Amino acid sequence: MTVEELEKATGWKLIATEEAKAKEVKGAFCGDLLSWVMGNSHPDQVWLTVQSHLNVVAVAVLREFSGIVFVQGVNPPQETIDKALEEDLAILQTDLTAYEACARLYDLGI
């Protein structure tokens, strides 16, 4: 499933470049402790988090994520959005809790 297909399947708000929309999503990782995410996640996952500061983009790029899903209605600051767009990293936003968003991804086969 691509990032764009994920957006269509969930209805979550998507902010992304065309290149980012085409990235494959092969899994998901949920966590807010950046060092834990860096040490335990895998490339091509979407990362579910409430952390929205600029460093999340650096971690997501380092781990080669397909995108970041900000849960619980988190709105990232503009500098985070701008950096994600610069790095061709998709941002998705949902009002669902992390648990509910993970359940939705599971239902989609991710």
XYZ file of all heavy atoms in Angstrom:
849
model
N 0.842 -1.170 0.000
C 0.000 0.000 0.000
C 0.894 1.241 0.000
O 1.866 1.296 0.737
C -0.888 -0.035 1.250
C -1.694 1.214 1.491
S -2.794 1.123 2.931
C -3.988 -0.036 2.338
N 0.535 2.218 -0.801
C 1.282 3.471 -0.823
C 0.738 4.423 0.237
O -0.351 4.216 0.780
C 1.188 4.158 -2.190
O -0.168 4.570 -2.405
C 1.683 3.265 -3.311
N 1.476 5.474 0.486
C 1.027 6.505 1.424
C -0.292 7.099 0.940
O -1.228 7.302 1.717
C 2.098 7.597 1.600
C 1.542 8.796 2.336
C 3.325 7.041 2.312
N -0.400 7.357 -0.347
C -1.630 7.934 -0.895
C -2.813 6.978 -0.721
O -3.919 7.399 -0.369
C -1.444 8.292 -2.362
C -2.626 9.041 -2.937
C -2.337 9.619 -4.310
O -1.544 9.027 -5.070
O -2.925 10.671 -4.608
N -2.587 5.690 -0.931
C -3.650 4.703 -0.722
C -4.041 4.638 0.753
O -5.217 4.469 1.077
C -3.201 3.331 -1.222
C -3.075 3.249 -2.728
C -2.360 1.998 -3.217
O -1.598 1.382 -2.440
O -2.557 1.638 -4.387
N -3.065 4.777 1.634
C -3.345 4.796 3.068
C -4.227 5.985 3.424
O -5.193 5.852 4.165
C -2.036 4.837 3.860
C -2.163 4.954 5.379
C -2.917 3.775 5.964
C -0.773 5.084 6.012
N -3.921 7.121 2.867
C -4.733 8.325 3.120
C -6.169 8.118 2.655
O -7.120 8.452 3.362
C -4.095 9.529 2.415
C -4.829 10.832 2.643
C -5.792 11.198 1.540
O -5.617 10.739 0.397
O -6.747 11.950 1.824
N -6.334 7.527 1.490
C -7.681 7.292 0.958
C -8.441 6.264 1.792
O -9.644 6.384 1.994
C -7.604 6.861 -0.499
C -7.200 7.990 -1.419
C -7.067 7.546 -2.851
C -6.628 8.729 -3.711
N -6.351 8.345 -5.088
N -7.737 5.254 2.287
C -8.374 4.193 3.070
C -8.767 4.648 4.472
O -9.716 4.124 5.051
C -7.450 2.979 3.169
N -8.039 5.621 5.009
C -8.291 6.054 6.393
C -9.019 7.385 6.492
O -9.667 7.648 7.497
C -6.961 6.192 7.164
O -6.151 7.179 6.508
C -6.243 4.866 7.279
N -8.866 8.217 5.483
C -9.428 9.562 5.557
C -8.593 10.507 6.400
O -9.012 11.636 6.671
N -7.404 10.061 6.804
C -6.534 10.926 7.596
C -6.000 12.044 6.721
O -5.768 11.866 5.526
C -5.377 10.135 8.190
C -5.800 9.054 9.139
C -7.011 8.932 9.760
C -5.034 7.931 9.570
N -7.032 7.813 10.552
C -5.836 7.176 10.455
C -3.749 7.488 9.292
C -5.381 6.016 11.064
C -3.299 6.325 9.902
C -4.106 5.599 10.792
N -5.799 13.208 7.312
C -5.274 14.357 6.578
C -3.842 14.052 6.146
O -3.027 13.581 6.939
C -5.299 15.599 7.459
C -4.787 16.838 6.769
C -4.818 18.044 7.681
C -4.230 19.249 6.972
N -4.186 20.416 7.877
N -3.543 14.335 4.881
C -2.221 14.069 4.322
C -1.582 15.360 3.850
O -2.200 16.152 3.145
C -2.327 13.095 3.143
C -1.056 12.797 2.364
C -0.010 12.126 3.243
C -1.372 11.941 1.146
N -0.335 15.559 4.265
C 0.497 16.654 3.773
C 1.735 15.983 3.198
O 2.501 15.353 3.941
C 0.901 17.618 4.905
C -0.339 18.195 5.605
C 1.793 18.738 4.367
C -0.032 18.931 6.896
N 1.919 16.066 1.872
C 3.033 15.338 1.273
C 3.302 15.811 -0.140
O 2.411 16.299 -0.830
C 2.721 13.838 1.244
N 4.533 15.612 -0.548
C 4.909 15.823 -1.944
C 4.421 14.619 -2.752
O 4.060 13.586 -2.193
C 6.442 15.936 -2.081
O 7.026 14.694 -1.663
C 7.005 17.082 -1.264
N 4.429 14.760 -4.055
C 4.020 13.636 -4.913
C 4.948 12.436 -4.702
O 4.489 11.291 -4.691
C 4.012 14.053 -6.387
C 2.870 15.000 -6.741
C 1.493 14.431 -6.412
O 1.222 13.258 -6.738
O 0.683 15.172 -5.822
N 6.236 12.693 -4.542
C 7.179 11.596 -4.301
C 6.858 10.876 -2.993
O 6.894 9.649 -2.923
C 8.618 12.118 -4.267
C 9.647 11.020 -4.098
C 11.072 11.528 -4.161
O 11.354 12.450 -4.943
O 11.910 10.977 -3.416
N 6.523 11.638 -1.968
C 6.199 11.032 -0.670
C 4.908 10.219 -0.746
O 4.797 9.174 -0.110
C 6.081 12.113 0.404
N 3.938 10.671 -1.517
C 2.671 9.949 -1.661
C 2.863 8.569 -2.282
O 2.090 7.657 -2.023
C 1.692 10.740 -2.519
C 1.144 11.979 -1.869
C 0.220 12.696 -2.835
C -0.253 14.019 -2.288
N -1.145 14.702 -3.247
N 3.885 8.419 -3.096
C 4.119 7.166 -3.818
C 4.907 6.144 -3.000
O 5.033 4.994 -3.427
C 4.857 7.453 -5.118
N 5.409 6.523 -1.840
C 6.214 5.590 -1.041
C 5.368 4.437 -0.527
O 4.201 4.606 -0.171
C 6.869 6.312 0.125
C 7.975 7.244 -0.299
C 8.640 7.890 0.903
C 9.738 8.842 0.459
N 10.344 9.536 1.606
N 5.975 3.256 -0.490
C 5.306 2.056 0.012
C 5.301 2.047 1.539
O 6.288 2.413 2.165
C 6.014 0.801 -0.493
C 5.805 0.523 -1.962
C 4.379 0.123 -2.296
O 3.756 -0.627 -1.518
O 3.896 0.558 -3.349
N 4.189 1.601 2.094
C 4.057 1.413 3.536
C 4.040 -0.085 3.789
O 3.124 -0.778 3.370
C 2.763 2.059 4.080
C 2.627 1.804 5.572
C 2.738 3.551 3.773
N 5.068 -0.576 4.481
C 5.198 -2.012 4.719
C 5.043 -2.383 6.180
O 5.207 -3.545 6.544
C 6.546 -2.497 4.188
C 6.685 -2.329 2.690
C 8.005 -2.829 2.185
C 8.097 -2.634 0.675
N 9.416 -3.006 0.164
N 4.727 -1.404 7.011
C 4.556 -1.672 8.435
C 4.323 -0.381 9.186
O 4.234 0.693 8.595
N 4.239 -0.513 10.496
C 4.010 0.654 11.347
C 4.796 0.502 12.639
O 5.064 -0.618 13.092
C 2.524 0.810 11.648
N 5.146 1.639 13.213
C 5.828 1.646 14.499
C 5.212 2.757 15.330
O 5.047 3.879 14.859
C 7.331 1.901 14.328
C 8.112 1.658 15.583
C 8.589 0.393 15.878
C 8.333 2.678 16.492
C 9.282 0.147 17.048
C 9.029 2.444 17.663
C 9.504 1.177 17.942
N 4.869 2.434 16.563
C 4.235 3.398 17.456
C 5.162 3.657 18.637
O 5.564 2.712 19.327
C 2.891 2.855 17.937
S 1.972 4.011 18.960
N 5.506 4.909 18.862
C 6.358 5.244 19.993
C 6.693 6.716 20.011
O 6.688 7.380 18.974
N 7.012 7.204 21.205
C 7.314 8.626 21.372
C 8.726 8.901 21.863
O 9.165 10.040 21.841
C 6.305 9.255 22.340
C 4.890 9.207 21.794
O 4.711 9.501 20.602
O 3.977 8.863 22.555
N 9.432 7.897 22.300
C 10.803 8.064 22.769
C 11.737 7.916 21.564
O 11.878 6.819 21.012
C 11.126 7.030 23.849
C 12.478 7.141 24.524
C 12.633 8.496 25.218
C 12.640 6.013 25.528
N 12.341 9.006 21.137
C 13.082 9.017 19.884
C 14.189 7.973 19.841
O 14.385 7.318 18.816
C 13.657 10.408 19.614
C 12.642 11.560 19.517
C 13.347 12.832 19.076
C 11.492 11.234 18.611
N 14.926 7.801 20.921
C 16.007 6.811 20.922
C 15.454 5.399 20.752
O 16.069 4.554 20.095
C 16.829 6.906 22.203
O 16.023 6.679 23.345
N 14.285 5.128 21.314
C 13.653 3.815 21.166
C 13.220 3.594 19.716
O 13.407 2.519 19.155
C 12.469 3.689 22.125
C 11.892 2.314 22.141
C 10.783 1.874 21.457
C 12.398 1.176 22.828
N 10.567 0.548 21.685
C 11.551 0.092 22.535
C 13.481 0.974 23.676
C 11.764 -1.179 23.052
C 13.677 -0.295 24.185
C 12.826 -1.354 23.877
N 12.658 4.620 19.128
C 12.230 4.539 17.734
C 13.438 4.283 16.836
O 13.397 3.413 15.958
C 11.491 5.829 17.310
C 11.181 5.832 15.817
C 10.210 6.000 18.124
N 14.528 5.007 17.070
C 15.728 4.826 16.246
C 16.290 3.415 16.362
O 16.774 2.851 15.388
C 16.803 5.835 16.636
C 16.498 7.231 16.153
S 17.865 8.395 16.362
C 18.010 8.490 18.135
N 16.205 2.829 17.542
C 16.802 1.529 17.766
C 15.925 0.333 17.449
O 16.430 -0.791 17.376
N 14.629 0.545 17.247
C 13.724 -0.595 17.127
C 12.800 -0.588 15.915
O 12.070 -1.553 15.710
C 12.876 -0.700 18.397
C 13.721 -1.036 19.593
O 14.104 -2.178 19.789
N 14.062 -0.023 20.387
N 12.817 0.448 15.141
C 11.926 0.538 13.987
C 12.631 0.024 12.734
O 13.812 -0.320 12.769
C 11.494 1.993 13.791
O 12.640 2.806 13.571
N 11.883 -0.004 11.629
C 12.408 -0.512 10.365
C 12.051 0.431 9.222
O 11.028 1.131 9.282
C 11.844 -1.903 10.064
C 12.163 -2.900 11.136
N 13.414 -3.443 11.297
C 11.395 -3.419 12.118
C 13.403 -4.273 12.325
N 12.184 -4.280 12.839
N 12.832 0.422 8.157
C 12.502 1.233 6.982
C 11.122 0.864 6.411
O 10.621 -0.238 6.622
C 13.617 0.879 5.986
C 14.757 0.440 6.841
C 14.113 -0.272 8.011
N 10.546 1.813 5.716
C 9.261 1.667 5.013
C 8.067 1.537 5.955
O 6.992 1.112 5.541
C 9.297 0.488 4.034
C 10.389 0.632 2.991
O 10.583 1.753 2.487
O 11.053 -0.371 2.691
N 8.243 1.907 7.206
C 7.117 1.934 8.148
C 6.558 3.353 8.218
O 7.234 4.320 7.855
C 7.579 1.524 9.556
C 7.998 0.091 9.684
C 8.442 -0.253 11.101
O 9.129 0.510 11.761
N 8.046 -1.431 11.557
N 5.322 3.456 8.682
C 4.809 4.748 9.121
C 4.985 4.778 10.632
O 4.845 3.763 11.313
C 3.337 5.003 8.715
C 3.224 5.264 7.230
C 2.405 3.905 9.162
N 5.297 5.939 11.136
C 5.581 6.117 12.563
C 4.441 6.894 13.196
O 4.154 8.013 12.807
C 6.905 6.846 12.696
C 7.302 7.259 14.075
C 6.855 6.758 15.259
C 8.247 8.265 14.406
N 7.469 7.384 16.300
C 8.331 8.311 15.802
C 9.036 9.132 13.659
C 9.173 9.202 16.468
C 9.867 10.006 14.317
C 9.941 10.038 15.700
N 3.805 6.292 14.184
C 2.719 6.933 14.914
C 3.276 7.545 16.187
O 3.909 6.856 16.995
C 1.626 5.928 15.262
C 0.851 5.381 14.074
C 1.563 4.205 13.456
C -0.542 5.000 14.482
N 3.005 8.842 16.386
C 3.571 9.552 17.523
C 2.760 10.799 17.857
O 1.991 11.280 17.021
C 5.041 9.952 17.248
O 5.616 10.531 18.421
C 5.166 10.906 16.086
N 2.965 11.297 19.066
C 2.430 12.605 19.458
C 3.536 13.660 19.450
O 3.252 14.849 19.576
C 1.741 12.587 20.849
C 0.502 11.719 20.829
C 2.701 12.179 21.941
N 4.774 13.224 19.292
C 5.896 14.169 19.215
C 5.815 14.909 17.887
O 5.673 14.279 16.840
C 7.233 13.430 19.312
C 7.459 12.719 20.606
C 7.731 13.669 21.765
O 8.028 14.842 21.578
N 7.625 13.147 22.960
N 5.927 16.229 17.921
C 5.764 16.977 16.676
C 6.891 17.969 16.398
O 6.822 18.715 15.431
C 4.427 17.724 16.695
O 4.413 18.688 17.729
N 7.908 17.965 17.222
C 9.008 18.917 17.027
C 9.867 18.501 15.826
O 9.739 17.405 15.279
C 9.854 19.049 18.291
C 10.268 17.734 18.876
N 11.302 16.990 18.363
C 9.754 17.030 19.922
C 11.431 15.887 19.076
N 10.492 15.880 20.022
N 10.743 19.365 15.443
C 11.548 19.188 14.245
C 12.373 17.908 14.250
O 12.604 17.301 13.198
C 12.455 20.405 14.071
C 13.218 20.554 12.769
C 12.273 20.558 11.577
C 14.037 21.830 12.794
N 12.809 17.441 15.411
C 13.656 16.252 15.479
C 12.968 14.985 14.979
O 13.646 14.038 14.578
C 14.155 16.027 16.903
C 15.167 17.069 17.317
O 15.731 17.773 16.492
N 15.391 17.183 18.609
N 11.639 14.953 14.966
C 10.970 13.749 14.473
C 11.240 13.544 12.986
O 11.320 12.405 12.526
C 9.448 13.726 14.766
C 9.175 13.756 16.263
C 8.719 14.840 14.060
N 11.396 14.622 12.261
C 11.702 14.493 10.835
C 13.088 13.880 10.660
O 13.282 12.990 9.826
C 11.595 15.849 10.106
C 12.033 15.729 8.649
C 10.169 16.392 10.199
N 14.047 14.321 11.448
C 15.400 13.764 11.358
C 15.393 12.269 11.656
O 16.036 11.481 10.941
C 16.331 14.493 12.323
N 14.663 11.854 12.676
C 14.577 10.435 13.019
C 13.891 9.660 11.888
O 14.351 8.596 11.488
C 13.847 10.233 14.361
C 13.540 8.760 14.604
C 14.668 10.811 15.497
N 12.812 10.197 11.365
C 12.068 9.526 10.292
C 12.914 9.361 9.036
O 12.876 8.317 8.380
C 10.788 10.299 9.981
N 13.697 10.364 8.706
C 14.573 10.283 7.537
C 15.693 9.274 7.801
O 16.004 8.441 6.945
C 15.136 11.677 7.173
C 16.238 11.577 6.130
C 14.011 12.580 6.685
N 16.278 9.323 8.990
C 17.332 8.385 9.362
C 16.856 6.941 9.261
O 17.568 6.070 8.758
C 17.809 8.677 10.789
C 18.829 7.706 11.379
C 20.186 7.898 10.725
C 18.932 7.906 12.881
N 15.642 6.670 9.711
C 15.091 5.317 9.705
C 14.419 4.954 8.378
O 13.889 3.860 8.222
C 14.086 5.147 10.852
C 14.716 5.281 12.227
C 15.885 4.320 12.454
N 15.424 2.942 12.334
C 16.164 1.958 11.826
N 17.381 2.163 11.397
N 15.676 0.741 11.757
N 14.408 5.889 7.426
C 13.821 5.682 6.097
C 12.338 5.308 6.172
O 11.862 4.400 5.484
C 14.625 4.644 5.308
C 16.062 5.046 5.092
C 16.900 3.992 4.387
O 16.354 2.962 3.938
O 18.117 4.209 4.277
N 11.609 6.035 7.012
C 10.173 5.813 7.146
C 9.430 6.294 5.902
O 9.881 7.200 5.202
C 9.613 6.569 8.354
C 9.946 5.969 9.687
C 10.180 6.784 10.781
C 9.998 4.602 9.872
C 10.464 6.250 12.021
C 10.280 4.050 11.111
C 10.514 4.883 12.195
N 8.270 5.712 5.684
C 7.388 6.164 4.607
C 6.658 7.436 4.997
O 6.243 8.200 4.134
C 6.361 5.078 4.274
O 7.006 3.895 3.902
N 6.466 7.643 6.287
C 5.790 8.838 6.756
C 5.619 8.822 8.257
O 5.940 7.849 8.930
N 5.099 9.939 8.749
C 4.786 10.094 10.169
C 3.285 10.297 10.293
O 2.697 11.085 9.553
C 5.503 11.308 10.777
C 7.016 11.203 10.619
C 5.129 11.465 12.250
C 7.765 12.468 11.035
N 2.672 9.587 11.231
C 1.256 9.781 11.544
C 1.186 10.457 12.908
O 1.552 9.858 13.922
C 0.486 8.446 11.579
C -0.981 8.698 11.924
C 0.624 7.693 10.257
N 0.734 11.708 12.925
C 0.536 12.412 14.184
C -0.859 12.062 14.691
O -1.857 12.302 14.009
C 0.692 13.916 14.003
C 2.107 14.316 13.679
C 2.448 14.770 12.415
C 3.103 14.221 14.631
C 3.749 15.130 12.107
C 4.416 14.580 14.342
C 4.735 15.035 13.077
N -0.916 11.457 15.868
C -2.172 10.977 16.438
C -2.712 11.965 17.471
O -2.048 12.923 17.835
C -1.988 9.575 17.068
C -1.603 8.551 16.001
C -0.958 9.596 18.180
N -3.938 11.707 17.927
C -4.599 12.480 18.969
C -4.745 13.962 18.615
O -4.691 14.831 19.484
C -3.892 12.314 20.310
C -4.059 10.912 20.851
C -3.491 10.709 22.243
O -2.835 9.714 22.471
N -3.743 11.619 23.162
N -4.908 14.249 17.336
C -5.148 15.621 16.901
C -3.946 16.532 16.946
O -4.087 17.751 16.852
N -2.755 15.959 17.069
C -1.534 16.771 17.126
C -1.338 17.503 15.803
O -1.434 16.908 14.732
C -0.308 15.888 17.444
C 0.985 16.642 17.201
C -0.372 15.383 18.873
N -1.084 18.793 15.908
C -0.764 19.617 14.747
C 0.699 20.010 14.830
O 1.069 20.780 15.719
C -1.639 20.874 14.710
C -3.065 20.562 14.381
O -3.337 19.890 13.397
N -3.976 21.023 15.209
N 1.538 19.494 13.935
C 2.955 19.835 14.004
C 3.188 21.301 13.657
O 2.425 21.893 12.890
C 3.588 18.914 12.965
C 2.497 18.621 12.002
C 1.229 18.628 12.803
N 4.246 21.868 14.214
C 4.578 23.248 13.859
C 4.969 23.359 12.389
O 5.383 22.370 11.762
C 5.748 23.596 14.774
C 6.240 22.330 15.354
C 5.167 21.304 15.192
N 4.857 24.545 11.851
C 5.144 24.760 10.435
C 6.567 24.351 10.074
O 6.803 23.805 8.998
C 4.892 26.222 10.043
C 4.929 26.459 8.544
C 3.872 25.660 7.789
O 2.707 25.646 8.173
N 4.268 24.989 6.708
N 7.527 24.570 10.968
C 8.911 24.192 10.650
C 9.045 22.674 10.464
O 9.814 22.219 9.627
C 9.889 24.699 11.700
C 9.775 24.041 13.048
C 10.803 24.554 14.056
O 11.723 25.303 13.692
O 10.673 24.188 15.226
N 8.258 21.898 11.198
C 8.269 20.444 11.038
C 7.661 20.057 9.694
O 8.202 19.208 8.981
C 7.518 19.770 12.192
O 8.154 20.113 13.427
C 7.478 18.263 12.044
N 6.562 20.690 9.349
C 5.918 20.429 8.058
C 6.850 20.793 6.907
O 7.040 20.010 5.972
C 4.589 21.205 7.950
C 3.581 20.671 8.972
C 4.036 21.142 6.524
C 2.343 21.532 9.125
N 7.460 21.961 6.989
C 8.355 22.417 5.921
C 9.526 21.462 5.728
O 9.895 21.131 4.590
C 8.873 23.820 6.212
C 7.785 24.884 6.149
O 6.699 24.610 5.579
O 8.018 25.989 6.685
N 10.120 21.009 6.830
C 11.266 20.096 6.739
C 10.832 18.745 6.174
O 11.549 18.143 5.368
C 11.914 19.927 8.110
C 13.213 19.165 8.072
C 14.262 19.902 7.246
C 15.600 19.177 7.285
N 16.598 19.809 6.420
N 9.665 18.262 6.577
C 9.156 16.997 6.042
C 8.937 17.096 4.537
O 9.311 16.181 3.788
C 7.866 16.606 6.744
N 8.378 18.187 4.073
C 8.178 18.380 2.636
C 9.519 18.445 1.907
O 9.677 17.859 0.831
C 7.353 19.641 2.376
C 5.887 19.577 2.817
C 5.243 20.949 2.728
C 5.114 18.555 2.007
N 10.480 19.122 2.500
C 11.822 19.216 1.917
C 12.469 17.832 1.783
O 13.181 17.561 0.818
C 12.687 20.112 2.798
C 14.102 20.309 2.337
C 14.898 21.143 3.329
O 14.369 22.154 3.842
O 16.062 20.778 3.595
N 12.183 16.966 2.733
C 12.772 15.620 2.751
C 11.905 14.568 2.050
O 12.205 13.384 2.105
C 13.010 15.185 4.204
C 14.016 16.019 4.957
C 15.444 15.779 4.508
O 15.716 14.804 3.773
O 16.315 16.577 4.910
N 10.808 14.986 1.413
C 9.856 14.067 0.774
C 9.349 13.023 1.765
O 9.286 11.829 1.468
C 10.469 13.398 -0.462
C 10.636 14.368 -1.615
O 9.694 15.151 -1.867
O 11.700 14.369 -2.252
N 8.981 13.491 2.939
C 8.445 12.643 3.995
C 6.976 13.015 4.211
O 6.655 14.177 4.452
C 9.235 12.863 5.286
C 8.783 12.074 6.492
C 9.072 10.580 6.311
C 9.449 12.598 7.752
N 6.107 12.044 4.114
C 4.675 12.294 4.265
C 4.317 12.527 5.730
O 4.872 11.894 6.628
C 3.878 11.114 3.730
N 3.369 13.417 5.935
C 2.771 13.636 7.243
C 1.289 13.313 7.129
O 0.608 13.809 6.230
C 2.943 15.099 7.704
C 4.397 15.392 8.035
C 2.038 15.407 8.900
C 4.665 16.830 8.421
N 0.819 12.468 8.024
C -0.613 12.196 8.134
C -1.053 12.621 9.525
O -0.273 12.534 10.481
C -0.906 10.713 7.917
C -0.622 10.222 6.499
C 0.449 9.162 6.524
C -1.878 9.715 5.853
N -2.279 13.087 9.636
C -2.816 13.520 10.922
C -4.171 12.874 11.162
O -4.992 12.772 10.250
C -2.983 15.037 10.951
C -1.681 15.798 10.872
C -1.941 17.285 10.693
O -2.148 17.744 9.582
N -1.924 18.009 11.799
N -4.380 12.450 12.412
C -5.654 11.866 12.811
C -5.997 12.280 14.237
O -5.104 12.534 15.044
C -5.636 10.326 12.692
O -6.903 9.814 13.104
C -4.539 9.708 13.535
N -7.280 12.328 14.515
C -7.738 12.585 15.877
C -7.789 11.306 16.703
O -7.999 11.357 17.913
C -9.142 13.221 15.862
C -9.113 14.651 15.343
O -8.069 15.319 15.487
O -10.130 15.105 14.791
N -7.593 10.160 16.065
C -7.619 8.887 16.785
C -6.469 8.806 17.785
O -5.421 9.421 17.586
C -7.499 7.719 15.807
C -8.605 7.535 14.771
C -8.248 6.390 13.832
C -9.933 7.294 15.447
N -6.655 8.017 18.834
C -5.554 7.727 19.740
C -4.554 6.843 19.004
O -4.869 6.269 17.958
C -6.029 6.989 21.001
O -6.509 5.691 20.610
C -7.116 7.762 21.738
N -3.370 6.696 19.569
C -2.371 5.814 18.970
C -2.914 4.393 18.875
O -2.733 3.712 17.863
C -1.074 5.854 19.769
N -3.585 3.947 19.922
C -4.159 2.599 19.932
C -5.171 2.431 18.796
O -5.133 1.453 18.043
C -4.816 2.326 21.280
C -5.563 1.025 21.328
C -4.883 -0.172 21.531
C -6.948 0.983 21.152
C -5.559 -1.379 21.568
C -7.630 -0.224 21.183
C -6.939 -1.394 21.393
O -7.610 -2.586 21.420
N -6.088 3.389 18.670
C -7.115 3.313 17.629
C -6.498 3.374 16.231
O -6.926 2.647 15.322
C -8.120 4.449 17.800
C -8.947 4.340 19.052
C -9.699 5.621 19.386
O -9.203 6.724 19.040
O -10.768 5.526 20.014
N -5.484 4.212 16.056
C -4.826 4.332 14.755
C -4.082 3.039 14.406
O -4.124 2.584 13.260
C -3.876 5.525 14.747
N -3.427 2.450 15.395
C -2.743 1.167 15.158
C -3.751 0.084 14.790
O -3.493 -0.732 13.901
C -1.947 0.746 16.393
S -0.429 1.676 16.632
N -4.893 0.077 15.460
C -5.934 -0.905 15.144
C -6.420 -0.717 13.718
O -6.647 -1.695 12.994
C -7.088 -0.779 16.127
N -6.555 0.529 13.298
C -6.988 0.817 11.922
C -5.963 0.294 10.917
O -6.312 -0.312 9.902
C -7.199 2.321 11.760
C -7.703 2.733 10.414
C -9.169 2.365 10.236
N -9.628 2.835 8.958
C -9.940 2.034 7.940
N -9.887 0.732 8.078
N -10.338 2.541 6.798
N -4.683 0.522 11.199
C -3.625 0.041 10.322
C -3.632 -1.497 10.271
O -3.453 -2.091 9.219
C -2.264 0.554 10.776
C -2.057 2.077 10.623
C -0.727 2.483 11.240
C -2.139 2.500 9.166
N -3.838 -2.105 11.413
C -3.895 -3.577 11.481
C -5.040 -4.092 10.602
O -4.859 -5.054 9.853
C -4.074 -4.028 12.922
C -4.146 -5.527 13.068
C -2.986 -6.286 13.129
C -5.376 -6.172 13.139
C -3.055 -7.664 13.248
C -5.459 -7.538 13.258
C -4.284 -8.295 13.325
O -4.373 -9.664 13.425
N -6.198 -3.435 10.706
C -7.345 -3.826 9.885
C -7.053 -3.707 8.389
O -7.618 -4.455 7.583
C -8.572 -2.982 10.227
C -9.170 -3.324 11.590
O -8.839 -4.389 12.145
O -9.962 -2.485 12.090
N -6.163 -2.805 8.037
C -5.788 -2.597 6.632
C -4.678 -3.557 6.186
O -4.243 -3.509 5.045
C -5.352 -1.155 6.407
C -6.454 -0.104 6.499
C -5.854 1.301 6.487
C -7.464 -0.270 5.372
N -4.201 -4.364 7.103
C -3.155 -5.316 6.764
C -1.742 -4.781 6.882
O -0.794 -5.368 6.371
N -1.604 -3.674 7.549
C -0.270 -3.074 7.739
C 0.283 -3.513 9.081
O -0.355 -3.490 10.078
C -0.336 -1.538 7.668
C -0.771 -1.132 6.260
C 0.994 -0.906 8.034
C -1.002 0.339 6.076
